[in-house]
Amino acid sequence: SSGINAEYGDMTMNELQYDYSCCGVQNYKDWYNTTWGYLHPYQIPGSCCNSFSPTCTANMTVSAMGCDHVVSDEMFATYSLLITVTLFASFYQVIGISVAYVLTRVIHVI
């Protein structure tokens, strides 16, 4: 067993595809060579389509963009924010250390 709950993985992928209007990794054809695709020949998950059915076909309105771009864009935005916050926090730490050093030098003079 891989230790991954298949239903949870399916739900997560469906939510990702529905929320970000994407389908598969590169495009909807990625679903054809999966276990899901073998069980549902020539169909793709309903989360790829603008319909509320559990499955759909490429003849329906399908999200053309793959989810790899969505995930990488989200990760880039998150890491950019994290790096910016870290740099600002580091800057203020250096300012605080500098002020503390100057104050200790002034106190020793007095």
Side-chain angles (χ1 to χ4, degrees):
S1 171
S2 66
I4 298 173
N5 183 335
E7 288 183 18
Y8 177 75
D10 290 346
M11 182 177 56
T12 302
M13 190 65 188
N14 280 328
E15 288 177 3
L16 176 74
Q17 292 179 147
Y18 181 77
D19 291 346
Y20 291 100
S21 298
C22 61
C23 186
V25 177
Q26 299 294 324
N27 59 41
Y28 71 92
K29 291 179 183 177
D30 293 334
W31 282 105
Y32 293 158
N33 294 321
T34 64
T35 303
W36 191 93
Y38 293 132
L39 296 173
H40 305 90
Y42 303 106
Q43 296 180 358
I44 51 181
S47 58
C48 287
C49 301
N50 297 335
S51 68
F52 294 103
S53 63
T55 62
C56 60
T57 63
N59 296 336
M60 301 171 89
T61 305
V62 178
S63 301
M65 181 175 64
C67 295
D68 64 335
H69 298 293
V70 171
V71 172
S72 62
D73 289 350
E74 285 292 318
M75 287 178 59
F76 179 77
T78 301
Y79 286 130
S80 295
L81 178 62
L82 181 64
I83 289 169
T84 302
V85 169
T86 302
L87 288 175
F88 275 114
S90 299
F91 174 74
Y92 286 113
Q93 289 290 324
V94 169
I95 297 271
I97 291 169
S98 300
V99 169
Y101 175 75
V102 169
L103 287 175
T104 58
R105 300 300 291 172
V106 168
I107 290 173
H108 282 291
V109 171
I110 298 178

